[in-house]
Amino acid sequence: MQVQKVILSLALGSAAAFSPSTGSMRQQQTSLRMSIAVGEQFPAPALSKIGVAGKPAVLYFYGADEAPSCTKQAEGFDAAAGDFGGVTVVGIRNDKGVKDGFADKYVQQFYVDVDDEIRNEIGIPKDLFVLGGRETYVVDKDGTVMMVFNGQLNPEKHVEAASAAVADLPKGGGGFDLASLLPF
């Protein structure tokens, strides 16, 4: 019973401490960080490591090469490559999930997140306490997060959500258009 309370508390973002002397549970707030939200900056050093600093990008985190749902997600991003028109798509997995030759099958880029460094930095929680969280981010050229999608069991929805968010990205280099200020 006590273990169930601890697990439920951790899932809800708080920790429970069991006191053997009193036999009771004591709630404690934890500093669990959820992933980056829309409007926040994706860490610039991470964007540089991934190779997309200064570019709009779709960054999708997945568990392992050749896992059925992860393969379905990579295939989905490849099939929709035309929807991303010039926006770099990068699949990101940890070093334990790498299978030789997997990345060679696809048009998109891949990045190996050694020891889940980036995943941990941005706070992607593990799904079901063990699986690397499946999250997709769309960032603009300035590194601002424009979309976040989380869903471990529906990899196809990541592609759909990212495609819609990319369609809403500002076109061109940003700033104002000098030609629009001219009277002719």
Side-chain angles (χ1 to χ4, degrees), residues 9-74:
S9 294
L10 288 172
L12 297 174
S14 63
F18 178 70
S19 170
S21 60
T22 63
S24 65
M25 298 290 290
R26 179 173 45 92
Q27 289 292 109
Q28 296 176 318
Q29 288 297 350
T30 65
S31 60
L32 292 177
R33 163 105 164 101
M34 297 309 287
S35 60
I36 296 172
V38 170
E40 294 182 346
Q41 290 298 120
F42 203 93
L47 293 174
S48 292
K49 286 179 189 175
I50 297 168
V52 295
K55 304 177 197 174
V58 174
L59 309 171
Y60 72 95
F61 289 80
Y62 67 98
D65 293 348
E66 296 181 9
S69 59
C70 299
T71 299
K72 190 179 291 187
Q73 188 174 17

Side-chain angles (χ1 to χ4, degrees), residues 9-172:
S9 294
L10 288 172
L12 297 174
S14 63
F18 178 70
S19 170
S21 60
T22 63
S24 65
M25 298 290 290
R26 179 173 45 92
Q27 289 292 109
Q28 296 176 318
Q29 288 297 350
T30 65
S31 60
L32 292 177
R33 163 105 164 101
M34 297 309 287
S35 60
I36 296 172
V38 170
E40 294 182 346
Q41 290 298 120
F42 203 93
L47 293 174
S48 292
K49 286 179 189 175
I50 297 168
V52 295
K55 304 177 197 174
V58 174
L59 309 171
Y60 72 95
F61 289 80
Y62 67 98
D65 293 348
E66 296 181 9
S69 59
C70 299
T71 299
K72 190 179 291 187
Q73 188 174 17
E75 289 170 348
F77 275 108
D78 250 30
D83 296 347
F84 297 106
V87 173
T88 304
V89 176
V90 183
I92 303 165
R93 82 284 201 195
N94 67 26
D95 51 335
K96 295 164 195 68
V98 175
K99 301 285 189 244
D100 287 337
F102 179 81
D104 299 334
K105 300 175 191 174
Y106 303 101
V107 176
Q108 73 229 237
Q109 298 175 17
F110 288 89
Y111 177 80
V112 177
D113 185 19
V114 177
D115 294 327
D116 286 333
E117 182 180 325
I118 295 172
R119 186 184 294 264
N120 291 331
E121 178 182 5
I122 63 175
I124 298 176
K126 292 199 179 298
D127 289 334
L128 307 173
F129 300 107
V130 294
L131 301 173
R134 182 183 310 280
E135 286 196 5
T136 299
Y137 298 83
V138 173
V139 298
D140 67 9
K141 65 180 182 60
D142 299 320
T144 303
V145 175
M146 305 305 284
M147 188 239 24
V148 176
F149 189 85
N150 180 316
Q152 182 69 4
L153 302 177
N154 47 4
E156 301 92 347
K157 296 289 184 189
H158 288 259
V159 179
E160 294 171 20
S163 178
V166 165
D168 290 340
L169 283 176
K171 304 297 182 240

